[in-house]
Short mmCIF file of all heavy atoms in Angstrom, two decimals:
data_model
loop_
_atom_site.label_atom_id
_atom_site.label_comp_id
_atom_site.label_asym_id
_atom_site.label_seq_id
_atom_site.Cartn_x
_atom_site.Cartn_y
_atom_site.Cartn_z
N PHE B 38 -18.36 -8.92 1.50
CA PHE B 38 -17.46 -8.52 2.55
C PHE B 38 -18.26 -8.28 3.76
O PHE B 38 -19.06 -7.35 3.86
CB PHE B 38 -16.78 -7.15 2.14
CG PHE B 38 -15.83 -7.33 0.94
CD1 PHE B 38 -16.23 -6.83 -0.35
CD2 PHE B 38 -14.65 -7.97 1.07
CE1 PHE B 38 -15.33 -6.94 -1.39
CE2 PHE B 38 -13.77 -8.13 -0.01
CZ PHE B 38 -14.16 -7.62 -1.23
N VAL B 43 -21.31 -7.74 -2.29
CA VAL B 43 -20.83 -6.86 -3.33
C VAL B 43 -21.14 -7.51 -4.72
O VAL B 43 -21.48 -6.77 -5.70
CB VAL B 43 -19.31 -6.71 -3.22
CG1 VAL B 43 -18.73 -5.99 -4.41
CG2 VAL B 43 -18.98 -5.95 -1.94
N PRO B 62 -19.59 1.54 -13.90
CA PRO B 62 -19.29 2.73 -13.09
C PRO B 62 -18.37 2.26 -11.91
O PRO B 62 -18.32 1.12 -11.56
CB PRO B 62 -20.60 3.23 -12.59
CG PRO B 62 -21.60 2.18 -12.81
CD PRO B 62 -21.05 1.25 -13.87
N SER B 63 -17.62 3.20 -11.39
CA SER B 63 -16.75 2.90 -10.33
C SER B 63 -17.45 2.39 -9.04
O SER B 63 -18.50 2.85 -8.77
CB SER B 63 -15.77 4.11 -10.07
OG SER B 63 -15.72 4.41 -8.75
N GLY B 64 -16.91 1.32 -8.44
CA GLY B 64 -17.51 0.79 -7.29
C GLY B 64 -18.54 -0.32 -7.54
O GLY B 64 -19.19 -0.82 -6.67
N CYS B 65 -18.61 -0.75 -8.85
CA CYS B 65 -19.72 -1.70 -9.26
C CYS B 65 -19.17 -3.15 -9.07
O CYS B 65 -19.92 -4.07 -9.25
CB CYS B 65 -20.10 -1.55 -10.68
SG CYS B 65 -18.90 -1.97 -11.91
N GLY B 66 -17.91 -3.36 -8.64
CA GLY B 66 -17.43 -4.63 -8.40
C GLY B 66 -16.56 -5.25 -9.43
O GLY B 66 -16.22 -6.49 -9.44
N LYS B 67 -16.08 -4.49 -10.43
CA LYS B 67 -15.19 -5.00 -11.46
C LYS B 67 -13.89 -5.58 -10.91
O LYS B 67 -13.51 -6.66 -11.23
CB LYS B 67 -14.83 -3.89 -12.43
CG LYS B 67 -15.98 -3.11 -13.01
CD LYS B 67 -15.53 -2.01 -13.97
CE LYS B 67 -14.77 -0.88 -13.23
NZ LYS B 67 -15.54 0.03 -12.42
N SER B 68 -13.24 -4.77 -10.07
CA SER B 68 -11.97 -5.23 -9.49
C SER B 68 -12.19 -6.50 -8.63
O SER B 68 -11.34 -7.36 -8.66
CB SER B 68 -11.34 -4.15 -8.68
OG SER B 68 -11.05 -3.01 -9.38
N THR B 69 -13.30 -6.41 -7.88
CA THR B 69 -13.53 -7.60 -7.04
C THR B 69 -13.72 -8.84 -7.83
O THR B 69 -13.13 -9.87 -7.52
CB THR B 69 -14.81 -7.35 -6.20
OG1 THR B 69 -14.62 -6.09 -5.45
CG2 THR B 69 -15.10 -8.43 -5.21
N LEU B 70 -14.42 -8.75 -8.89
CA LEU B 70 -14.63 -9.88 -9.78
C LEU B 70 -13.28 -10.40 -10.30
O LEU B 70 -12.96 -11.63 -10.34
CB LEU B 70 -15.53 -9.50 -10.90
CG LEU B 70 -16.22 -10.62 -11.76
CD1 LEU B 70 -16.94 -11.59 -10.80
CD2 LEU B 70 -17.21 -10.08 -12.72
N GLU B 78 -8.91 -12.83 -3.78
CA GLU B 78 -10.10 -12.81 -2.88
C GLU B 78 -10.69 -14.17 -2.97
O GLU B 78 -10.62 -14.82 -4.00
CB GLU B 78 -11.12 -11.80 -3.24
CG GLU B 78 -10.67 -10.33 -3.27
CD GLU B 78 -10.60 -9.69 -1.93
OE1 GLU B 78 -10.87 -10.38 -0.90
OE2 GLU B 78 -10.21 -8.51 -1.86
N GLU B 184 -7.67 -1.77 -14.74
CA GLU B 184 -7.57 -0.32 -15.10
C GLU B 184 -6.05 0.06 -15.28
O GLU B 184 -5.52 0.92 -14.67
CB GLU B 184 -8.15 0.53 -13.98
CG GLU B 184 -9.55 0.12 -13.65
CD GLU B 184 -10.47 1.28 -13.45
OE1 GLU B 184 -10.20 2.35 -13.81
OE2 GLU B 184 -11.57 0.97 -12.99
N1 ADP C 430 -11.75 -5.52 0.97
C1 ADP C 430 -13.01 -4.92 0.97
N2 ADP C 430 -13.64 -4.85 2.04
C2 ADP C 430 -14.90 -4.27 2.01
N3 ADP C 430 -15.49 -3.80 0.94
C3 ADP C 430 -14.79 -3.82 -0.24
C4 ADP C 430 -13.53 -4.44 -0.29
N4 ADP C 430 -13.07 -4.33 -1.55
C5 ADP C 430 -14.07 -3.72 -2.25
N5 ADP C 430 -15.14 -3.46 -1.45
C6 ADP C 430 -16.37 -2.85 -1.87
O1 ADP C 430 -16.86 -3.57 -2.96
C7 ADP C 430 -17.48 -2.70 -3.97
C8 ADP C 430 -16.78 -2.92 -5.32
O2 ADP C 430 -15.52 -2.57 -5.27
P1 ADP C 430 -14.57 -2.69 -6.50
O3 ADP C 430 -14.58 -4.10 -6.95
O4 ADP C 430 -13.18 -2.18 -6.13
O5 ADP C 430 -15.25 -1.74 -7.55
P2 ADP C 430 -14.68 -1.24 -8.96
O6 ADP C 430 -13.36 -1.89 -9.25
O7 ADP C 430 -15.73 -1.59 -9.95
O8 ADP C 430 -14.57 0.20 -8.85
C9 ADP C 430 -17.22 -1.28 -3.42
O9 ADP C 430 -18.44 -0.84 -2.88
C10 ADP C 430 -16.21 -1.41 -2.36
O10 ADP C 430 -16.38 -0.47 -1.35
#
Side-chain angles (χ1 to χ4, degrees):
Chain B
F38 291 108
V43 173
S63 133
C65 69
K67 308 177 294 285
S68 298
T69 305
L70 196 54
E78 301 281 359
E184 311 223 11

